[in-house]
Amino acid sequence: MGDRFGAGVLGMLLVALAVGCGDANSNAAGDGSAAAGSSGAPATAETGGRAAGGLAAGGAAGAGGTTVAAGGAAGAGDTTAGAAGMSGHGSLTGGSAGAATGGTTGGRPELGACPEMPIARHGTGVMLELLVRPMFEGKPLVFAEENPVSSGGTLTPLGLRFYISEVVLERPAAEPLPVDVVAANGTPAPYGVHLFNAEDVASGVLRVLAPTGDYTAISFLLGLKQACNTRHPDANRAPLSATSQMTWPHTGYLFLRYEGRFAPGVTGAGGQNAGSAGLPPAIHMGGNLYEALAPRVRVVANLSVTASAAVPRNLHFVMDEAFKGATAEVDLSGFTGPNEENVRVGERLRLSMPGLQLFQLGS
Amino acid sequence: MTRSWLRAVTRWRGAFLLCVSGCAQAAEQDTPHPLVTSHSPAGFPLGSMVDLSPVDNALTEPRAQLGKRLFYDTRLSRDGSVACSSCHRQEHAFAEDKSISIGVDERRGTRNAPALVNLAWGASFFWDGSVRTLEEQVGKPIAHPDEMGLSLAAAVARVAADESYVTAFVEAYAEPPSDETLRKALASFLRTLVSGNSAYDRHLRGDGSQLGEPERRGEALFLGGAGCFHCHPAGMLTDEGFRNNGTFTPGGDAGRQLFTGRAGDLGKFKVPGLRNVERSAPYMHDGSLPTLEAVVEHYDRGGLGDLTTDPQLEPLALSPREKADLVAFLRSLTDPEFLSDPRFRP
């Protein structure tokens, strides 16, 4: 793979992502309108592949500035291999069009492209590094350690993994721009997928290769497009092999997996595995082979990619929001995934996502 | 005269063929059975033992054969009493039937010897996952005072004093024995220990006759309601993760926490693959469960109940028949060919 893509990528500019951090929030609403819909509009996203989704679904930033909206379908654009993808502009369809390449056909999975070695869209570009940081109650969530809970007790995360793929940058008055998820050496990541694993420090850096320019939002699938979701783990290398710990007897990949232990304070109630109100012991989102259900997450923030010193940005994963979604009252009557409580909890999170700010872009 | 000449030729030809056959047999006995193959069993993850070997220790037959010789050599222990094979016996899936291994001077270790099966696909090694490569792993038991008790430098010196070893090292690595090449050779042999022909494997390959009704019911439970698949996904039957599976009790072996120092890793141990599990008793990191039935009972209870137990482990309330079915399925993972494969013998 390195030889195949190396030449083009070696020429890339390892230059800066200069970011207007200070005014990102205030600018976001206005700037976001061009590509992403009306400024300040409520999120209209739908979750899951049943509805055509796309970049427009999330709306733009509200008063909170750097915001997240989620929704849309996995099929928001087959942006991996193929000649059409080479331009970097062709295949992604924002708004309501929703080219559902990852959708379903007659209830059966559509086996679209999920090449192990995606073809690079952009021969050159800037390495944009996003440092994925789980947060809880406004503080970094320390993996495998006891994190104090404000209401008492401690939370010890024992596992936290999720996939990020199909990354798109939005820019004013132009088509949204699909970009490649890349490895540290700039070559496209296998299957175009990044697996964040809280136990693996190296996985905490999400890298994409972006042309220089000013962007108003970043969006991505929190999970896999259907063409990847239906690939069998035994036929895959990392990060889609069984050692990803995102697979089972293949019912489709988990898109997000969390397990943790809540220990009540000395005067608290609850106990092992029971969690506490709002702190479920496990969340398994995904695990459905037959529907394209990976939600598209959209983070509105000004990103100015220029050719100067590289400045990584923090991409916060807000556990509070994950717990909020996982415990929300939602209608699960249409749920067709594995009949496991942890997966049903994950489905609550998925269905709740349009109202959550699961990811936030920090400085 | 012509007829007599023909008879003579025939006799000579017979003698010649006899010689050729006999010589071939002798040569066959002298030539080691090849260990290295470039294909992997159907249903295994991508990559063969060759593909998965590291760039700086590409798997070759001379390296694997050298590693096998070292694996069975008691000279790698301080007093010459213990070899790798002492605690990793082929008939026990390269584990042993003791709860805790006994090293030099009858010293007791602290953990059960793990089975050595399909390690080429492994992501980390030892019960606590404290090493990431086989090349690193193999040196630890040699030097450990409770196991083989010999420094690697001393081990290299002993090997280097044997001219036949020196020849084998030069053939394998184009250099005399060293700490590095000794470890690389042992790792090479371990990568060849591939087991993929159990009834379950043949079942995975589409032979519907391999599993009986109890095994099929057990498989359904394993991959379904009993939740075993969470840590032992179909295929390699390990997700290479670390779990506190309810065997930890306060004051006991802290497991992965001893390596990472993290509170959440208390009592976590590596999830082992399960091929040939029937033959690798006793079970768990401490060998505390003597039988497969005891293992199923352990998980049916939800473990020993310590608060550190993995949140996914909950009581199962299995019926007696379901427990028996699970055990039947686990027995279908036995690969007799692997357990008696002459290629792995000294």
Side-chain angles (χ1 to χ4, degrees):
Chain A
M1 184 167 69
D3 291 339
R4 193 171 169 189
F5 301 110
V9 175
L10 282 175
M12 73 185 181
L13 303 170
L14 261 178
V15 288
L17 164 67
V19 182
C21 303
D23 59 356
N25 291 351
S26 58
N27 288 342
D31 294 346
S33 61
S38 58
S39 171
T44 56
E46 294 183 55
T47 309
R50 301 181 189 91
L55 290 172
T66 303
T67 62
V68 179
D78 182 357
T79 56
T80 49
M86 292 297 289
S87 72
H89 303 273
S91 60
L92 184 99
T93 53
S96 60
T101 56
T104 59
T105 305
R108 299 179 60 188
E110 192 172 80
L111 302 177
C114 181
E116 179 187 334
M117 294 183 290
I119 297 171
R121 292 184 182 84
H122 311 290
T124 60
V126 175
M127 179 83 83
L128 167 53
E129 292 187 335
L130 298 174
L131 310 180
V132 183
R133 298 284 184 260
M135 304 291 286
F136 178 63
E137 295 187 335
K139 298 175 184 172
L141 181 71
V142 184
F143 181 74
E145 297 288 7
E146 295 176 343
N147 295 261
V149 180
S150 59
S151 57
T154 59
L155 173 67
T156 305
L158 301 174
L160 176 61
R161 299 173 185 231
F162 49 79
Y163 285 117
I164 290 177
S165 63
E166 302 298 301
V167 178
V168 172
L169 295 174
E170 297 176 28
R171 47 198 176 163
E175 287 290 312
L177 183 67
V179 292
D180 291 315
V181 175
V182 297
N185 65 1
T187 58
Y191 313 101
V193 169
H194 180 78
L195 173 63
F196 171 77
N197 168 14
E199 192 164 13
D200 176 11
V201 174
S203 77
V205 184
L206 168 67
R207 298 180 178 88
V208 299
L209 205 59
T212 56
D214 293 322
Y215 301 96
T216 54
I218 183 171
S219 77
F220 50 82
L221 292 186
L222 182 57
L224 306 172
K225 64 179 178 180
Q226 189 66 348
C228 292
N229 188 38
T230 52
R231 283 184 65 114
H232 199 283
D234 286 347
N236 292 343
R237 300 185 189 280
L240 298 186
S241 61
T243 55
S244 66
Q245 301 185 25
M246 304 294 269
T247 75
W248 291 345
H250 199 43
T251 57
Y253 287 82
L254 292 182
F255 297 152
L256 178 148
R257 175 176 189 168
Y258 161 83
E259 290 102 31
R261 183 168 57 239
F262 171 73
V266 286
T267 58
Q272 180 216 356
N273 300 350
S276 69
L279 297 178
I283 306 169
H284 293 167
M285 188 184 84
N288 189 319
L289 190 60
Y290 295 101
E291 293 181 274
L293 299 179
R296 179 162 285 274
V297 172
R298 182 166 177 269
V299 185
V300 176
N302 283 347
L303 302 171
S304 182
V305 180
T306 62
S308 59
V311 180
R313 292 288 296 272
N314 286 318
L315 181 64
H316 292 158
F317 176 77
V318 186
M319 281 303 308
D320 315 66
E321 292 289 287
F323 292 141
K324 180 178 162 187
T327 54
E329 288 295 327
V330 297
D331 179 10
L332 293 180
S333 59
F335 177 64
T336 57
N339 186 26
E340 282 208 18
E341 180 56 24
N342 297 338
V343 182
R344 294 170 70 83
V345 168
E347 182 67 356
R348 291 181 193 280
L349 170 61
R350 194 184 70 83
L351 291 172
S352 303
M353 213 166 287
L356 301 175
Q357 295 190 14
L358 195 58
F359 286 87
Q360 294 178 355
L361 206 55
S363 56
Chain B
M1 182 175 178
T2 304
R3 189 167 293 173
S4 126
W5 180 82
L6 280 173
R7 277 199 299 270
V9 167
T10 303
R11 278 199 300 272
W12 276 106
R13 188 177 66 183
F16 175 72
L17 289 174
L18 200 65
C19 175
V20 168
S21 172
C23 293
Q25 285 176 1
E28 195 173 289
Q29 287 169 359
D30 290 343
T31 305
H33 299 284
L35 289 163
V36 177
T37 61
S38 58
H39 67 276
S40 60
F44 273 38
L46 291 179
S48 67
M49 61 173 80
V50 175
D51 303 328
L52 297 166
S53 60
V55 173
D56 66 350
N57 189 25
L59 185 58
T60 66
E61 191 63 32
R63 292 173 178 183
Q65 292 291 349
L66 173 58
K68 182 171 82 168
R69 185 177 171 192
L70 292 164
F71 185 83
Y72 285 98
D73 196 333
T74 57
R75 282 178 288 180
L76 294 189
S77 64
R78 181 170 49 76
D79 59 3
S81 65
V82 178
C84 305
S85 58
S86 302
C87 302
H88 297 282
R89 309 182 69 85
Q90 184 178 2
E91 64 271 27
H92 295 299
F94 290 97
E96 66 175 338
D97 56 0
K98 297 184 178 73
S99 298
I100 302 295
S101 298
I102 307 296
V104 293
D105 300 330
E106 299 296 313
R107 297 171 75 114
R108 280 177 62 84
T110 56
R111 293 174 182 164
N112 180 249
L116 307 180
V117 181
N118 299 331
L119 298 180
W121 289 268
S124 64
F125 306 96
F126 290 130
W127 279 107
D128 55 10
S130 56
V131 300
R132 301 302 294 262
T133 69
L134 282 172
E135 280 74 8
E136 185 183 358
Q137 184 274 322
V138 294
K140 304 282 187 184
I142 296 173
H144 197 289
D146 294 335
E147 297 187 52
M148 299 166 80
L150 186 68
S151 72
L152 282 172
V156 170
R158 289 185 186 183
V159 169
D162 183 331
E163 194 57 39
S164 66
Y165 259 131
V166 174
T167 302
F169 271 90
V170 169
E171 182 189 3
Y173 290 103
E175 60 181 84
S178 67
D179 173 341
E180 182 179 347
T181 52
L182 183 145
R183 288 184 289 105
K184 284 181 172 178
L186 277 166
S188 296
F189 173 57
L190 296 188
R191 286 195 178 90
T192 69
L193 300 178
V194 175
S195 174
N197 199 26
S198 66
Y200 170 71
D201 289 295
R202 296 190 292 274
H203 168 70
L204 287 182
R205 293 196 281 268
D207 184 346
S209 68
Q210 291 297 319
L211 300 188
E213 279 308 308
E215 289 85 357
R216 284 176 182 274
R217 290 195 302 266
E219 181 192 29
L221 273 170
F222 189 93
L223 301 177
C228 313
F229 64 84
H230 283 291
C231 304
H232 300 281
M236 298 305 284
L237 299 169
T238 173
D239 65 2
E240 294 287 325
F242 302 90
R243 302 285 194 292
N244 181 327
N245 67 349
T247 52
F248 175 79
T249 52
D253 188 339
R256 188 162 170 77
Q257 189 191 57
L258 294 174
F259 167 58
T260 67
R262 299 184 300 211
D265 286 336
L266 180 62
K268 279 186 178 179
F269 293 92
K270 187 169 183 220
V271 176
L274 298 181
R275 273 181 183 73
N276 303 297
V277 68
E278 175 187 17
R279 301 292 289 274
S280 64
Y283 304 106
M284 306 302 177
H285 68 279
D286 54 1
S288 58
L289 300 178
T291 63
L292 289 176
E293 286 80 1
V295 171
V296 171
E297 288 291 345
H298 171 83
Y299 286 118
D300 187 53
R301 281 194 304 271
L304 298 178
D306 188 77
L307 294 177
T308 60
T309 301
D310 191 285
Q312 294 179 96
L313 205 66
E314 293 176 335
L316 297 172
L318 297 170
S319 71
R321 193 184 86 160
E322 288 174 323
K323 293 175 186 174
D325 289 344
L326 273 174
V327 170
F329 172 66
L330 293 172
R331 292 204 166 108
S332 79
L333 305 176
T334 302
D335 176 0
E337 188 179 286
F338 174 81
L339 297 166
S340 61
D341 192 330
R343 296 177 307 141
F344 302 141
R345 294 178 193 153

